Amino acid sequence: LGKCLLSPIVLAAYAYNRSLSELGPGGRGEDEPGVLCQLFAFLMAFFGLAPTLLLLAMALECWLSLGHPYFYRRHLTRRLGAALGPAAAGLCALFCALPLLGFGAPMQYCPGTWCFIRMAGGGPRQLGFPVLYASLMGLLVLAIVACNVSSMRHLYGMARRQPRRGPAPAAAPRMEELDHLVLLGLMTVLFTVCSLPLIIRAYMGAFAADFNENADLTALRFLSVNSIVDPWVFIIFRTSVFR
């Protein structure tokens, strides 16, 4: 959904050879972004945070089902699972709308084809939101890594407890658990590597006054790479075709 909403705006900017502030109404330059630029910044922030929150819900579900199966069976229902998605999206939308209300400031970045929250320059009111955003993202990353590492430990213990004797069917459960172990490990490393640059750039911009649009663009590209590559890793390594 994020790719479908954001990509046409970028393609239109390149097609008309105009910046987002020039395309959208109300913008008279980089310091005063237009409505389209503000919408773009909101969508970038939202689709950076909402999938991370959903990944945390999935990691928690995996950890509870493996490590605490009785609690999982008793308390986690389909109704709760169905409510988590809209609840996470609603909370992220309210949080990411704060710059539109004055806490934080949308900003157009070079070469004018993308907008995001201002991560350097400005006063405490402008820089408070990116620090809060990066801190929340960092906490979510730590929680996801902790849940996945715990799930990997449970999977490794389950694989070791499987009987080694007998024909191939007896070894099948062990292979399946190891497949899940490899998948979780790869997704955890990929997610961590892709998320850290944005968190680091937000802190450097706020506390070290390091204004570097190329570095900010690289951090956003890393965050985008995760959403592109992660599904392919999940598709390839979860099937028996790879083995």
Side-chain angles (χ1 to χ4, degrees), residues 17 45 49 51 53 63 67 75 109 115 130 135 147 149 152 156-157 165 172 178 206-207 216-219 222 234:
N17 197 24
L49 188 62
L53 197 59
W63 170 64
H75 296 286
Y109 283 81
C115 295
S135 301
C147 289
V149 168
M152 290 161 63
Y156 180 71
R165 62 185 182 277
L178 289 179
F207 297 110
D216 293 339
L217 179 58
T218 302
F222 265 96
F234 186 77

Side-chain angles (χ1 to χ4, degrees), residues 3 190 221-233:
K3 294 289 183 289
L190 178 67
R221 282 173 174 163
F222 265 96
L223 194 66
S224 299
V225 163
N226 178 64
S227 62
I228 296 170
V229 177
D230 215 28
W232 287 103
V233 173

Side-chain angles (χ1 to χ4, degrees), residues 126-160:
Q126 284 77 29
L127 296 180
F129 180 80
V131 172
L132 190 61
Y133 185 89
S135 301
L136 180 58
M137 183 78 76
L139 289 174
L140 292 177
V141 170
L142 287 176
I144 291 169
V145 170
C147 289
N148 284 348
V149 168
S150 180
S151 298
M152 290 161 63
R153 184 175 61 84
H154 287 301
L155 283 170
Y156 180 71
M158 291 166 62
R160 289 193 64 183

